[in-house]
Amino acid sequence: MNTSQLIESKLTPDSAIIDEICAAGEPWTKLVKRGQTFRIVDLEGNQAVDTLFFNAHHALERYSVTDTIRAQNNLYLTTGSVLYSNLGNRMLTIVADTCGRHDTLGGACAAESNTVRYALEKYPMHSCRDNFLHALAHDATCELLDMSKRDIPSNINFFMNVPVTEEGGLEFVDGISAPGKYVEMRAEMDVLVLISNCPQLNNPCNAYNPTPIRLLVWDTQTT
């Protein structure tokens, strides 16, 4: 079980080089350079933020849930957690966290999983996989890296609460986040960030009400 490390950042939004809002249920992509600091803010609380990271120069290297869990012997992420790539390299380090725990196992919602978990009529509902596919098809950096649906690995669910049961199952339950909570990471390599601000309406990961998030990046010298 993870022991959360609640640590606030000393960085202020007025010194950020990027400060953007991602609307509820929408995708977001951005390059974050080595040494820069990247923050995700849960503006209204209980919003799941499905996130992928890729080597910005070679997309075949990407965040790996198995390498990350194995390296730190921990299912959950918080301050001090290092996110590893499928090549065993450090991608990002969580340097501040006011939520306390972030999910690595729940994956991204999709038309297929919505159908299996909930009901057949849920198939047309918008999903995180739809957001990832939309970004891969329309983002210039993704196009430059020749990325496609084959490049979607398992993702992190920031702010999402997915406890593991004694039987080894997963439960999608009410979040432990709150308005204004954030997680902040230092990039250990140039990374492409791909986010789906989760549109899920069928379980309490978003309190049945998807909401916007705020995304900030600070340059190396400001950290």
Side-chain angles (χ1 to χ4, degrees):
M1 178 63 67
N2 181 67
T3 300
S4 65
Q5 300 292 324
L6 297 177
I7 294 181
E8 294 186 7
S9 173
K10 296 181 180 180
L11 298 175
T12 58
D14 58 359
S15 62
I17 61 171
I18 295 172
D19 186 353
E20 298 180 358
I21 300 294
C22 178
E26 293 298 312
W28 186 88
T29 58
K30 197 70 65 177
L31 287 173
V32 178
K33 296 180 180 179
R34 180 181 180 183
Q36 291 183 330
T37 301
F38 170 55
R39 180 189 294 177
I40 306 173
V41 184
D42 186 3
L43 288 175
E44 299 185 31
N46 240 31
Q47 175 59 29
V49 183
D50 293 43
T51 307
L52 298 170
F53 297 104
F54 300 87
N55 182 323
H57 307 288
H58 183 60
L60 290 178
E61 182 174 18
R62 70 283 304 265
Y63 164 77
S64 168
V65 59
T66 52
D67 287 272
T68 298
I69 291 173
R70 182 173 59 227
Q72 60 187 2
N73 194 30
N74 209 319
L75 291 178
Y76 304 108
L77 305 175
T78 187
T79 308
S81 298
V82 178
L83 312 184
Y84 283 88
S85 76
N86 57 328
L87 300 184
N89 296 317
R90 291 172 173 244
M91 300 193 78
L92 304 102
T93 301
I94 298 179
V95 294
D97 180 20
T98 61
C99 176
R101 195 174 79 176
H102 306 273
D103 170 61
T104 60
L105 299 178
C109 59
E112 294 79 8
S113 62
N114 283 340
T115 300
V116 170
R117 289 173 178 163
Y118 308 113
L120 291 176
E121 61 266 25
K122 305 293 186 180
Y123 186 85
M125 295 184 71
H126 190 50
S127 69
C128 285
R129 183 169 175 82
D130 292 336
N131 276 339
F132 289 149
L133 291 172
H134 184 275
L136 292 175
H138 294 89
D139 181 77
T141 303
C142 293
E143 183 179 3
L144 185 65
L145 291 169
D146 193 30
M147 297 172 70
S148 70
K149 63 182 180 181
R150 70 175 183 273
D151 294 300
I152 302 177
S154 297
N155 57 284
I156 299 169
N157 292 307
F158 287 111
F159 309 110
M160 191 167 165
N161 188 18
V162 185
V164 179
T165 67
E166 292 184 1
E167 295 76 23
L170 301 179
E171 293 184 339
F172 296 85
V173 299
D174 286 340
I176 58 174
S177 186
K181 299 290 186 180
Y182 60 82
V183 59
E184 193 171 280
M185 293 153 273
R186 180 183 65 244
E188 309 293 356
M189 65 169 67
D190 295 347
V191 293
L192 172 65
V193 183
L194 175 51
I195 282 175
S196 169
N197 191 21
C198 184
Q200 182 60 259
L201 295 171
N202 299 293
N203 71 52
C205 72
N206 293 341
Y208 303 101
N209 179 39
T211 54
I213 55 173
R214 186 180 184 185
L215 302 142
L216 304 98
V217 175
W218 287 264
D219 212 351
T220 307
Q221 60 266 27
T222 65
T223 62

